[in-house]
Amino acid sequence: MTHMKLSRFFRSFQYAAQGIYAAIQKEQNIRFHLLAAVVVVLSGWLTGLSKTEWLIVILLIGGMLAFELVNTAMERVVDLASPELHPLAKQAKDMAAGAVLVFAVASAIIGLLIFIPKWF
Ligand SMILES: Nc1ncnc2c1ncn2[C@@H]1O[C@H](COP(=O)(O)OP(=O)(O)OP(=O)(O)O)[C@@H](O)[C@H]1O
């Protein structure tokens, strides 16, 4: 990789980090998901998970945080494109929120399926 390409790669990385930082600062939902992630990782550590179970848990935590970031980005774009109330703006925001909810429910079910047999 040439010097130019490498610095562009690191700049993109920096922009992504800025996006994550802004989301954490401004969105309570993201902070809640981060807290939930810490609780799940600590529980997994105390409970003792297999390698495969950790892979699933990490995938679900990463997917959840990524989904929440995409949802936040969608909200920003909708607010920018449609500051006034519009039925399509509502649909876009509500569908993105629905996507987060679907993944959260699936993650919670999978999490319970992994943890509950180990606790009882
Ligand atoms: N521009 C818009 N046009 C129509 N409906 C909207 C618009 N913006 C938000 N809504 C709807 O209003 C409800 C609340 O939206 P949301 O949770 O995004 O809060 P908000 O009004 O944008 O405030 P905040 O920025 O504090 O989250 C949702 O059903 C959402 O779809």
Side-chain angles (χ1 to χ4, degrees):
M1 221 186 264
T2 65
H3 176 71
M4 274 298 285
K5 275 186 185 159
L6 204 63
S7 71
R8 204 181 305 156
F9 173 77
F10 280 115
R11 221 180 311 139
S12 315
F13 196 78
Q14 206 183 345
Y15 293 146
Q18 284 172 2
I20 292 170
Y21 182 71
I24 292 171
Q25 269 202 320
K26 299 201 190 312
E27 293 296 318
Q28 204 183 348
N29 277 353
I30 301 259
R31 291 199 292 273
F32 171 77
H33 283 296
L34 276 175
L35 182 68
V38 171
V39 170
V40 169
V41 168
L42 281 177
S43 307
W45 186 56
L46 291 172
T47 305
L49 301 180
S50 71
K51 191 175 174 185
T52 311
E53 287 164 341
W54 272 119
L55 294 180
I56 295 168
V57 166
I58 291 165
L59 190 66
L60 294 176
I61 289 174
M64 197 65 252
L65 291 171
F67 244 126
E68 195 59 56
L69 282 167
V70 172
N71 178 46
T72 303
M74 188 77 92
E75 282 177 10
R76 297 286 187 278
V77 173
V78 169
D79 286 343
L80 201 59
S82 176
E84 292 83 34
L85 293 183
H86 192 286
L88 286 179
K90 177 175 169 54
Q91 280 187 24
K93 279 193 175 186
D94 293 355
M95 286 172 188
V100 171
L101 183 63
V102 167
F103 197 83
V105 170
S107 301
I109 292 170
I110 294 170
L112 291 175
L113 287 173
I114 290 176
F115 279 96
I116 283 184
K118 290 177 184 291
W119 291 339
F120 302 105

